[in-house]
Amino acid sequence: MDGMSGPYVVRGSVSLPEAELMWRFSRSSGPGGQHVNTSDSQVELRFDLAGTQALPEVWKQRALERLAGRLVDGVVVVRASEHRSQWRNREAAAVRLAALLAEATAPPPRPRRPTRIPRGINERRLRQKKQRSDTKRGRSGRDWT
């Protein structure tokens, strides 16, 4: 049994191919006692976004634009070291990468259609302001003689 939970779905029928994921393991800081000195539990997952064939071209361009600040030579890197076991860190890194790509490839939101404020609402607001100012003006003791 391989242990990894299958293909990581980005969105719809598109998923990350296992062959294009590059894994690197190193010693992680944090809890683990004496065991931490001998095990490579930190996971670094690299995905060549610029060179992949797994994503549709439109999605790839969108992701390259949105993740431009995170990319190094067209490669996106995700690190995970929060768990003590390498396997759980691998899961966390892969899930994080899939979520990052899902967000980066999402279509842009629909443009907002401007709407006019109904005249009645504006008139009511002005009427309430006038009432409030009258109330406050009535509180001042100027007229009392």
Side-chain angles (χ1 to χ4, degrees):
M1 184 172 116
D2 172 56
M4 293 297 290
S5 64
Y8 298 97
V9 177
V10 175
R11 205 168 60 249
S13 60
V14 178
S15 58
L16 297 174
E18 195 66 48
E20 290 188 22
L21 300 179
M22 294 166 280
W23 300 93
R24 213 165 91 198
F25 309 101
S26 58
R27 292 199 182 126
S28 178
S29 62
Q34 294 166 331
H35 171 71
V36 80
N37 301 324
T38 59
S39 65
D40 294 341
S41 62
Q42 178 174 292
V43 172
E44 187 179 278
L45 173 58
R46 295 167 167 270
F47 180 67
D48 186 2
L49 186 57
T52 186
Q53 297 298 313
L55 299 175
E57 198 57 40
V58 182
W59 287 19
K60 191 156 73 167
Q61 290 309 317
R62 209 180 284 157
L64 284 169
E65 279 174 32
R66 290 186 185 164
L67 297 175
R70 279 194 68 153
L71 297 177
V72 179
D73 298 330
V75 177
V76 65
V77 180
V78 175
R79 277 191 193 84
S81 61
E82 60 265 21
H83 300 292
R84 283 175 61 172
S85 83
Q86 185 189 96
W87 184 80
R88 285 178 68 193
N89 280 332
R90 283 181 66 144
E91 285 288 299
V95 167
R96 210 176 295 159
L97 178 66
L100 183 73
L101 289 175
E103 196 177 313
T105 58
R110 277 200 174 135
R112 181 186 169 276
R113 281 181 52 201
T115 54
R116 283 188 51 211
I117 298 170
R119 191 165 26 140
I121 288 178
N122 214 13
E123 286 173 357
R124 186 178 350 149
R125 181 180 61 84
L126 292 173
R127 199 167 48 248
Q128 285 173 344
K129 277 180 73 154
K130 183 93 175 97
Q131 259 178 347
R132 186 87 181 133
S133 85
D134 289 346
T135 304
K136 288 189 169 191
R137 194 179 306 123
R139 288 185 189 149
S140 71
R142 281 182 315 189
D143 302 339
W144 298 6
T145 47

